Amino acid sequence: QVQLAESGGGSVQAGGSLRLSCATSKSTYCMGWFRQVSGKEREGVAGISIAGGITFYGDSVKGRFTISRDNAKKMMYLQMNSLKPEDTAMYYCAARSSCPRFSLDEHEYNFWGQGTQVTVSS
């Protein structure tokens, strides 16, 4: 089992930045960030390998968001720059015990945090 807890969400104007954090009870899992707008499917935002050397992103956030992790602190981060109103969503961190390939498919992630709300106003 892995416990995950997000923080850092809030309200920001378009063009601004936010940094989300995810505290994890274990640092030996591949991890990722997802987001969901009420009534819509969950969207994969970014993923990161166990050691942090491999990262991958959803097309809508490439070049604006950066995922990272600090295994010594058991933390994962999502730096979000140039935010747009369409980035407004509940953001979740997730972990998966098996990571044979790079994936932002939510069904491949076993463990989830409670989420943190990000609201971007125009």
Side-chain angles (χ1 to χ4, degrees):
Q1 289 288 338
V2 179
Q3 283 75 50
L4 303 168
E6 305 93 337
S7 61
S11 297
V12 64
Q13 289 191 327
S17 298
L18 279 176
R19 187 195 197 202
L20 304 184
S21 299
C22 175
T24 175
S25 60
K26 295 183 179 180
S27 58
T28 54
Y29 287 72
C30 291
M31 298 183 71
W33 287 97
F34 292 77
R35 66 186 182 186
Q36 188 171 27
V37 176
S38 181
K40 295 188 176 181
E41 292 186 356
R42 194 169 292 184
E43 175 189 6
V45 174
I48 190 166
S49 61
I50 295 173
I54 298 172
T55 59
F56 44 99
Y57 299 89
D59 288 341
S60 62
V61 306
K62 283 180 181 176
R64 299 188 298 122
F65 291 11
T66 303
I67 188 172
S68 62
R69 67 191 296 169
D70 184 336
N71 287 340
K73 295 181 179 179
K74 296 184 180 178
M75 295 292 294
M76 180 179 66
Y77 306 99
L78 184 68
Q79 178 66 44
M80 305 186 294
N81 297 330
S82 303
L83 282 162
K84 305 175 181 179
E86 50 263 44
D87 293 318
T88 296
M90 184 72 78
Y91 283 71
Y92 299 89
C93 71
R96 51 179 178 153
S97 52
S98 175
C99 39
R101 62 188 183 95
F102 309 134
S103 174
L104 288 177
D105 182 343
E106 63 171 312
H107 299 101
E108 297 192 20
Y109 287 75
N110 313 84
F111 307 100
W112 295 84
Q114 294 299 307
T116 186
Q117 178 68 37
V118 171
T119 302
V120 184
S121 58
S122 57

